[in-house]
Amino acid sequence: MKKIMKTAYLFVLILGAFMFTGCEDWFDVSSDIDAKEDDLYKTENGYFDALIGVYAKMAGTSLYGDQMTISTMDLLAYSYVLRDGAPEIYTSFANFDYKTANTEKVIASIWEGMYNAIANDNKLLERLENADRKIFDDDNYDLIKGEALALRAYLHFDLLRMFGPSKALDKGEKCMPYVTTFGQGNTAYSTFDQVIEKVLADIDAAIPLFDKDPIWTPMETPSNVYLVNRKVRMNAFSVRALRARVMLYAGKTDSEVYDFVSELMDTLQTNINYPRLTTSPQDIDKDKIISGELLFGLYVDKLSNVASGYFPSVTTSKELGSTKEKLDVIFEADKYKMSDVRYELLFVTEEGLPRMRKFRQEQTDNQRSRNQMPMLRLSEMYYIAAETAPDVETALVYINAIRTARSLLGVELNTKEEVISYLDTEYRREMLAEGQIFYRYKYRNLENIPDCEIKIADKLSEVYRFPLPQQEQEWGQK
C-alpha cells in the first residue's frame, strides 16, 4: 500500500485549494508540498478544508458516488434486470466473477480509493494532534476530530464488508490492514475481530467529541459555512447509528445491540433535530430519497449525470433496469392489497418499462435532497431494533412504524425467523441503489440471493468476498 499512502495526501491539498481559494493565490504560496501543508493548517478553515477533502474523495464515482452504491454493489444484490447486450462488466459482477480484467480494475479502484480517503483522514488526524487549539472557535476542534475518527471507522468497516469474511464464515485469518497513521510504510493485516475492535474503538473515541455538536440544540443558520448541513454530516446521531450497524454485523448479542439502539432512539426522540419518520408519505415525490430521515448523506456532485447513464428514459443496453413483475415481488404489490409509496414514487413507466427516478435531479425536487447519496438511514435503526428486540411483539412496533410511514397497513408476524425474513425484504425496498442490500445478504450468509439463479451455496466465501487487488497480494504485509 506504499504507493497509495505516498500520493494520497496531495489530493487533499489541491482539492482544498480549488474549493476555497483562487488557484493562482494557492500555487503562489510555495512550490514545496510541505510548505503548502503548513500553510493549509495555519487556520481553522484549513482543517475544515482537509476534512471536506475526505468527504469529497468518498463521493467520487469509484466509491460512494457510483460503484459502491448505484452500480457494482447493487448488481451483486440482483437489484436490477439487465437488458440485452448488457456490458460485460455488468454480467461479470452478476455472475460473481471477480477475476476478469474489468472487474479486477473496478475492485482495485475501490480498494485504492478507500485507502486514499483513509490516508487523507489520517493526515488530518495527525495534524490535529499537534494543532494550536487557539486557532479553533468554540468546539470546532472536537467536531473536526470527531468527524475524522468516525469517517475512518466508516471506511474501514465497509472495506471489511467487501474484502473480509462474514462473521459466519470467519476462520480467524488476517484479511486487511486497519491504517491509523499517515506514511509510506505498510500496515500489518488484521483479522475480522481485530478490525471490528478497531472500528468500535474509533467510534467510541469519536462519540464524546460530539457532546457539544450543534445538532443537539435548536439550530439557526450558522455563520460558519463549514457548519452548514450538519444534519447529514457525520455527527452525534450518525456516529451512534454507525455503531449500531457495526454491532449487528459483528455478531454482538441481540440484547447488547437492542439495548444500544433502543437507548439511542429513546434519547434522540427528545431532540428537536432528530430525524423522524415521515408523516406525509405523499411528499416523497418531491424528496425521493426521503432526506428528512437521513442520518448521514454524501453530497455527490453531478449525481444526475451518473443516474441518467444507468436509468435513462429510453431503453439502452447499459441501463440498470427492472420489470413490473420484479417490482411487484419486491414491493409485495398483491400481498397487502395496498400500494407501497416507494413503489409508486421511485419508479416511472417509460416506453412501457419501469425506470428508477430515485437519483434523477428533477426541478420539483426538494432542495435538501439534491445530489445526496444516503449513507445511514433512520429506518435502518428501526430494522436493527426489530431484529434484536426481545420478542416479536416489540419487533412489530418498529416494523409497523416503517410500514405506516410508507403508506402500508401493519403486518402480522409470529416468530423471530419471520421477523428476520421480513427485514430481508425491507432492505430491498428501502435501500435500492444504495449499496446496502448485498451486505445484508452477506451478514445473513444467505445461500440463495433473491432473483439469482446461480447456485452459490458451495462457494459463499468466493461470492461474498472480493479478492485483494493483485498489487496488494504481491506487496501487502500480512
Side-chain angles (χ1 to χ4, degrees):
M1 210 180 304
K2 290 185 179 181
K3 182 179 180 182
I4 296 173
M5 296 304 174
K6 183 176 181 180
T7 60
Y9 189 58
L10 182 60
F11 171 83
V12 163
L13 290 175
I14 295 176
L15 177 67
F18 278 133
M19 289 177 69
F20 297 100
T21 68
C23 299
E24 292 182 5
D25 293 340
W26 175 259
F27 286 110
D28 285 342
V29 171
S30 174
S31 60
D32 182 78
I33 292 298
D34 291 334
K36 289 177 182 177
E37 180 187 316
D38 290 338
D39 287 335
L40 177 70
Y41 288 116
K42 284 182 178 178
T43 67
E44 177 186 85
N45 285 356
Y47 284 89
F48 274 118
D49 286 354
L51 178 62
I52 288 173
V54 179
Y55 283 108
K57 180 63 180 177
M58 292 172 65
T61 54
S62 66
L63 301 183
Y64 298 98
D66 180 351
Q67 297 296 344
M68 292 180 61
T69 50
I70 294 174
S71 59
T72 295
M73 298 313 298
D74 263 43
L75 279 165
L76 297 175
Y78 275 73
S79 295
Y80 308 116
V81 174
L82 301 185
R83 305 303 188 203
D84 292 339
E88 180 269 340
I89 188 71
Y90 292 5
T91 57
S92 293
F93 275 119
N95 289 326
F96 309 110
D97 185 352
Y98 306 140
K99 295 297 182 68
T100 71
N102 285 331
T103 54
E104 285 185 340
K105 183 178 180 180
V106 169
I107 292 169
S109 71
I110 291 174
W111 175 273
E112 292 171 7
M114 293 288 276
Y115 278 110
N116 264 273
I118 289 167
N120 296 340
D121 204 37
N122 282 333
K123 187 60 179 180
L124 170 58
L125 286 164
E126 178 185 282
R127 293 298 299 229
L128 281 167
E129 288 303 310
N130 300 304
D132 179 2
R133 299 288 190 95
K134 295 178 182 178
I135 69 173
F136 296 93
D137 291 334
D138 302 320
D139 301 292
N140 290 343
Y141 176 91
D142 284 352
L143 283 183
I144 295 170
K145 186 174 181 180
E147 287 187 58
L149 286 169
L151 290 177
R152 187 167 73 184
Y154 193 105
L155 290 161
H156 279 103
F157 179 60
D158 273 359
L159 279 163
L160 179 66
R161 293 201 289 180
M162 288 182 288
F163 293 92
S166 64
K167 180 63 175 178
L169 298 177
D170 177 33
K171 298 179 180 179
E173 75 273 26
K174 294 181 177 181
C175 55
M176 56 170 277
Y178 198 101
V179 184
T180 58
T181 59
F182 178 85
Q184 299 181 27
N186 283 2
T187 299
Y189 276 44
S190 295
T191 64
F192 176 97
D193 287 338
Q194 288 169 339
V195 172
I196 292 294
E197 181 181 359
K198 293 171 183 177
V199 167
L200 291 175
D202 271 347
I203 292 173
D204 289 341
I207 286 175
L209 295 172
F210 290 111
D211 283 349
K212 296 183 179 179
D213 188 341
I215 201 78
W216 288 112
T217 57
M219 294 180 69
E220 300 177 355
T221 302
S223 58
N224 186 334
V225 66
Y226 296 97
L227 298 181
V228 173
N229 294 326
R230 281 219 56 75
K231 290 185 178 181
V232 291
R233 290 270 288 277
M234 189 59 77
N235 58 42
F237 300 170
S238 51
V239 70
R240 288 168 168 82
L242 175 60
R243 196 183 205 285
R245 175 186 281 180
V246 173
M247 291 173 71
L248 182 72
Y249 189 84
K252 303 296 184 182
T253 64
D254 281 357
S255 60
E256 184 179 0
V257 178
Y258 182 76
D259 286 347
F260 180 83
V261 73
S262 59
E263 181 180 356
L264 164 64
M265 295 172 73
D266 289 343
T267 300
L268 298 182
Q269 282 283 8
T270 63
N271 186 275
I272 193 171
N273 295 314
Y274 177 55
R276 287 169 170 78
L277 295 179
T278 180
T279 56
S280 302
Q282 67 274 12
D283 290 340
I284 296 177
D285 62 337
K286 298 179 182 179
D287 185 2
K288 299 184 291 293
I289 62 166
I290 321 179
S291 64
E293 295 182 12
L294 290 187
L295 293 165
F296 175 33
L298 277 181
Y299 179 86
V300 179
D301 189 32
K302 299 180 180 178
L303 180 57
S304 60
N305 293 347
V306 176
S308 63
Y310 292 125
F311 313 113
S313 58
V314 296
T315 304
T316 73
S317 60
K318 294 183 179 180
E319 177 184 0
L320 295 176
S322 195
T323 63
K324 183 179 184 302
E325 291 74 21
K326 180 182 179 75
L327 294 178
D328 281 350
V329 172
I330 291 177
F331 289 95
E332 300 180 325
D334 297 329
K335 187 172 183 179
Y336 297 108
K337 311 298 183 185
M338 195 173 180
S339 295
D340 189 317
V341 69
R342 293 167 292 192
Y343 186 4
E344 295 294 318
L345 298 175
L346 295 184
F347 292 87
V348 59
T349 300
E350 295 168 331
E351 293 188 337
L353 293 170
R355 291 198 165 88
M356 188 185 294
R357 64 184 186 114
K358 186 173 191 175
F359 296 116
R360 291 184 184 179
Q361 310 301 298
E362 299 172 320
Q363 289 185 346
T364 56
D365 286 348
N366 186 310
Q367 187 64 36
R368 68 185 180 184
S369 70
R370 290 184 179 276
N371 295 304
Q372 286 287 334
M373 176 57 66
M375 301 286 279
L376 277 164
R377 288 188 172 279
L378 176 61
S379 53
E380 184 180 351
M381 299 303 103
Y382 279 75
Y383 300 155
I384 293 173
E387 182 160 349
T388 58
D391 52 65
V392 173
E393 290 73 21
T394 304
L396 285 173
V397 172
Y398 294 104
I399 288 173
N400 286 327
I402 296 291
R403 291 185 63 83
T404 298
R406 304 298 179 253
S407 291
L408 293 167
L409 297 176
V411 64
E412 294 183 6
L413 303 169
N414 299 306
T415 66
K416 177 69 175 286
E417 291 72 23
E418 289 180 2
V419 167
I420 293 176
S421 179
Y422 174 83
L423 291 172
D424 290 342
T425 67
E426 262 297 285
Y427 276 82
R428 296 184 81 192
R429 291 186 281 271
E430 185 78 356
M431 300 182 186
L432 276 170
E434 296 178 16
Q436 298 301 320
I437 304 171
F438 183 73
Y439 298 143
R440 173 68 183 181
Y441 297 159
K442 179 173 181 175
Y443 154 73
R444 292 268 286 114
N445 206 37
L446 291 188
E447 296 186 354
N448 296 291
I449 291 177
D451 296 330
C452 175
E453 297 180 356
I454 300 173
K455 295 181 179 180
I456 65 171
D458 60 346
K459 54 179 182 179
L460 294 181
S461 293
E462 291 81 5
V463 166
Y464 285 128
R465 184 174 178 179
F466 285 164
L468 294 177
Q470 187 62 38
Q471 183 179 7
E472 188 65 18
Q473 293 182 39
E474 296 173 358
W475 298 103
Q477 178 181 336
K478 295 190 179 182

